[in-house]
Amino acid sequence: MSEARSEIRRQMSNDVRPWAMDQKPLASSTLRHFHGILDAQRAEILAQQSHVASSLDEVRHARDGEQDDEHDPEGPTLTAEWSRLTGLQDDAVRQLQVLDKALSRIEDRSYGFCTHCGQPIGRERLEARPVAELCIDCARLAETRR
């Protein structure tokens, strides 16, 4: 195992710590930039969640009726549609939780720093994945643990 990988493992085994003392938080303009991106993603998920809730109401109403969709060869059953929509709803809740965590990190100015090793997360990584909590090295290491 390389020395760098050993160091990452050692750091990840330590308690989670804020950014390193010699690291400065991201500039206010950078934080505003990412706050805007995260807010837009949050608004999009809330809109999708509203649409899914409306669809669930329609399915709920259809299920309460006397429709026998289990023998309808033309489309998915109400049960299948209910399962699909509740899965989408659960995913939206999880995505909102992740976004809210990222927004909290912006508020406490720890955004942009790896939650495991405390090193800065690359700007390119944050642009690609604004909710990233781990630097690329810690993310790779976490992925190999799975």
Side-chain angles (χ1 to χ4, degrees):
M1 183 183 316
S2 74
E3 187 174 310
R5 183 167 273 186
S6 295
E7 176 63 16
I8 291 170
R9 280 193 192 273
R10 186 191 62 73
Q11 288 177 353
M12 288 184 72
S13 66
N14 293 339
D15 292 333
V16 174
R17 58 193 170 107
W19 62 84
M21 296 304 284
D22 60 339
Q23 300 291 335
K24 293 182 181 178
L26 296 175
S28 294
S29 60
T30 303
L31 292 174
R32 281 192 304 275
H33 167 75
F34 286 110
H35 198 286
I37 290 171
L38 293 166
D39 275 343
Q41 289 179 355
R42 193 174 197 291
E44 184 178 326
I45 291 170
L46 287 171
Q48 291 171 357
Q49 196 176 31
S50 175
H51 177 72
V52 169
S54 170
S55 297
L56 277 169
D57 286 342
E58 290 175 16
V59 172
R60 185 178 296 114
H61 179 64
R63 285 176 69 177
D64 290 343
E66 296 297 321
Q67 297 178 350
D68 178 17
D69 75 325
E70 300 297 325
H71 298 91
D72 181 7
E74 294 299 316
T77 64
L78 291 176
T79 302
E81 187 64 6
W82 180 267
S83 294
R84 183 184 76 81
L85 291 170
T86 55
L88 289 173
Q89 190 175 43
D90 292 345
D91 287 344
V93 168
R94 280 190 292 275
Q95 289 173 356
L96 287 172
Q97 290 170 340
V98 169
L99 284 167
D100 288 343
K101 260 178 93 174
L103 288 166
S104 292
R105 288 193 312 277
I106 286 176
E107 294 304 317
D108 70 17
R109 298 186 62 85
S110 65
Y111 182 83
F113 293 92
C114 180
T115 58
H116 284 282
C117 72
Q119 294 301 308
I121 298 172
R123 172 85 185 227
E124 300 81 19
R125 177 162 170 74
L126 291 172
E127 289 289 349
R129 186 167 157 69
V131 296
E133 294 182 340
L134 302 175
C135 67
I136 195 70
D137 290 333
C138 289
R140 284 181 182 143
L141 187 57
E143 188 64 31
T144 60
R145 289 181 174 176
R146 290 184 189 186

